[in-house]
Amino acid sequence: VDIANDHGADIFISIHNDAFTNSQAAGSTTFHYGSPEGIRLSSAIQKHLVDGLGTKDRGARYASFYVIRYTDMPAALVEAAFISNPEEEVLLASVDGRCTIAECIFHGIMKYFRV
């Protein structure tokens, strides 16, 4: 957060794998802290993740995570899929799956910047 703020980054993206005690939990979620631009950024990324991965749409949702709360720029925290779900674990463990996730996030960022 400090590095992004100190260097005037345009956006901040934090990428994670979700997990839950119930192995049936599945899907992609992208979190924002509530600013209009953060909502727009997380919504664009979320749409591309769900469309590109075919995962359950858990939404672009508000959260108060440190990394999205204390950035000076629009920020999103991406939970690409559930590592605790056997089917999604295969996606997360494969090179192709991780590349697809990265491409989906990239396309969401491009949509945010309207490129």
Side-chain angles (χ1 to χ4, degrees):
V1 171
D2 290 340
I3 293 169
N5 288 341
D6 290 347
H7 289 85
D10 294 322
I11 60 171
F12 184 94
I13 310 292
S14 184
I15 304 169
H16 303 263
N17 299 326
D18 215 337
F20 193 63
T21 55
N22 180 346
S23 65
Q24 298 306 306
S28 301
T29 314
T30 307
F31 294 97
H32 57 81
Y33 186 58
S35 73
E37 289 301 303
I39 293 169
R40 195 165 69 79
L41 174 62
S42 64
S43 296
I45 292 170
Q46 179 68 16
K47 178 177 180 357
H48 282 276
L49 273 175
V50 170
D51 290 351
L53 299 176
T55 51
K56 176 183 175 186
D57 187 354
R58 297 175 62 89
R61 300 167 41 187
Y62 170 86
S64 187
F65 299 123
Y66 185 94
V67 295
I68 57 176
R69 183 175 59 211
Y70 290 109
T71 51
D72 296 335
M73 69 289 305
L77 187 145
V78 177
E79 295 282 5
F82 279 80
I83 199 162
S84 54
N85 177 290
E87 292 81 26
E88 292 186 356
E89 179 186 16
V90 171
L91 171 75
L92 294 166
S94 73
V95 172
D96 288 345
R98 291 190 305 271
C99 285
T100 301
I101 290 166
E103 288 173 4
C104 292
I105 293 169
F106 166 77
H107 288 295
I109 292 168
M110 296 298 285
K111 179 173 174 127
Y112 171 78
F113 284 112
R114 294 185 176 101
V115 175

